[in-house]
């Protein structure tokens, strides 16, 4: 077991991580195992979930790998039942899956929207509601981490459906935090910036065949990056991005930032909002 002393209290607790076969989910699962947590690694790609679980087992913690499609209610319910049976509940739920689909607003099809919102929004909601009973049955520290995106602070062109989905789960997680306060279950929203992961590749693989291939136009990524300096200049590994996450979850911090580069855009938005209040107050004074 490694890490700061306060994290030792997490040893023996049960973590469930979705999207644990790759990138951010795998990095969070690894952090959990490093402090002695039992880890259930869930992913639509079973062999990758298994690879993560096998790696973590070498750290000497109990693990399980499960194939789960968060876009499918039955699949998520089954996984929750299996985790409950195998580990007797869940203390930390990391609802981390999110898929990506480039396209300008007038090019995204209804099927694109339905898939993206079905996985990113409804998938997050059903992950939480499916595992909540197993969390409520446990006592002591329990926490839910939801992966949003820096896109909530710095929206980009060609990512309309994705950004909409991340705004939606931010609203969901904010409400969840309020509603679970009496249960003693904390909620943290993670806002990752650019990371060098398999996100585009794994999203294309997870896309149902019936929708046809995901089409990224030659200039989509260039257009997105040209309007988003933070995303273009500040790309890190998933491991770097989530350094210190467990300490923040343990401290019940509501938000976790991975990169400093989108702070100025966030502050610019706050300033725009403050000016809208100023104008409203000025209208009220003049009335
Ligand atoms: N990579 C970035 O730059 C970036 C930036 C901001 C936010 N994010 C968010 O971080 C989270 C993790 O992404 P990542 O960058 O680690 O990507 P990744 O591709 O490395 O990992 C995502 C994992 O989710 C799995 N997955 C996809 N669809 C699934 C489904 N329906 N059910 C279960 N598992 C499924 C994939 O198989 C993959 O293993 C996502 O929510 C993503 O939106 C990523």
């Amino acid at each position: 077991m490694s890490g700061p002393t306060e994290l030792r209290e997490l040893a023996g607790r049960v973590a469930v991580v979705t999207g644990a076969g790759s990138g951010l989910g795998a990095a969070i699962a690894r952090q959990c195992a490093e402090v002695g947590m039992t880890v259930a690694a869930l992913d639509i790609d079973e062999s990758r979930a298994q690879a993560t679980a096998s790696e973590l087992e070498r750290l000497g913690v109990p693990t399980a790998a499960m194939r789960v499609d968060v876009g499918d209610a039955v699949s998520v319910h089954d996984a929750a039942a299996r985790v409950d049976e195998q580990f007797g509940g869940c203390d930390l739920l990391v609802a981390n899956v999110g898929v990506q689909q480039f396209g300008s607003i007038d090019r995204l099809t209804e099927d694109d929207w339905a898939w993206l919102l079905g996985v990113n929004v409804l998938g997050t909601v059903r992950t939480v509601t499916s595992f909540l009973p197993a969390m409520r049955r446990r006592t002591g520290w329990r926490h839910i981490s939801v992966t949003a995106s820096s896109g909530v602070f710095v929206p980009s062109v060609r990512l309309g459906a994705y950004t909409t989905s991340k705004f939606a789960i931010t609203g969901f997680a904010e409400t969840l935090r309020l509603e679970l306060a009496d249960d003693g279950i904390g909620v943290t929203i993670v806002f990752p910036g650019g990371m060098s992961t398999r996100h585009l590749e794994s999203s294309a693989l997870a896309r149902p065949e019936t929708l046809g291939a995901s089409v990224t136009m030659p200039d989509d990524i260039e257009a997105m990056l040209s309007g988003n300096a933070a995303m273009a200049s500040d790309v890190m590994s998933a491991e770097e991005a989530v350094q210190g996450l467990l300490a923040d979850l343990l401290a019940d911090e509501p938000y976790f930032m991975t990169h400093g580069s989108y702070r100025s855009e966030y502050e610019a938005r706050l300033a725009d909002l403050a000016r809208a209040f100023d104008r409203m107050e000025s209208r009220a004074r003049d009335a």
Side-chain angles (χ1 to χ4, degrees), residues 19 21-25 42-45 48 68-71 96-99 119 147-150 162 166 192-195 197-199 202 206 231:
S22 179
L24 198 68
L42 276 45
D43 203 289
I44 197 168
D45 185 329
R48 285 189 170 270
V68 167
D69 176 2
V70 302
N96 166 68
V97 169
V99 288
V119 173
T147 304
S149 167
S150 61
Y162 178 76
K166 295 300 187 177
M195 299 178 296
T197 65
R198 299 172 51 249
H199 201 204
S202 76
M231 187 65 89

Side-chain angles (χ1 to χ4, degrees), residues 164-189:
T164 301
S165 75
K166 295 300 187 177
F167 267 84
I169 62 166
T170 300
F172 167 68
E174 295 279 10
T175 310
L176 196 62
R177 185 172 170 82
L178 297 174
E179 292 192 357
L180 295 183
D182 287 346
D183 292 279
I185 301 176
V187 178
T188 298
I189 310 174

Side-chain angles (χ1 to χ4, degrees), residues 88-108:
C90 167
D91 302 301
L92 170 62
L93 176 65
V94 181
N96 166 68
V97 169
V99 288
Q100 179 61 283
Q101 164 73 60
F102 275 88
S104 53
I105 295 287
D106 56 356
R107 186 157 57 80
L108 290 166

Side-chain angles (χ1 to χ4, degrees), residues 32-74:
C32 293
E34 280 169 357
V35 298
M37 296 181 84
T38 295
V39 180
L42 276 45
D43 203 289
I44 197 168
D45 185 329
E46 192 169 10
S47 64
R48 285 189 170 270
Q50 188 56 62
T52 298
S54 304
E55 180 204 326
L56 304 187
E57 227 161 55
R58 289 194 282 276
L59 295 169
V61 293
T63 64
M66 292 176 198
R67 184 193 179 276
V68 167
D69 176 2
V70 302
D72 173 7
V74 175

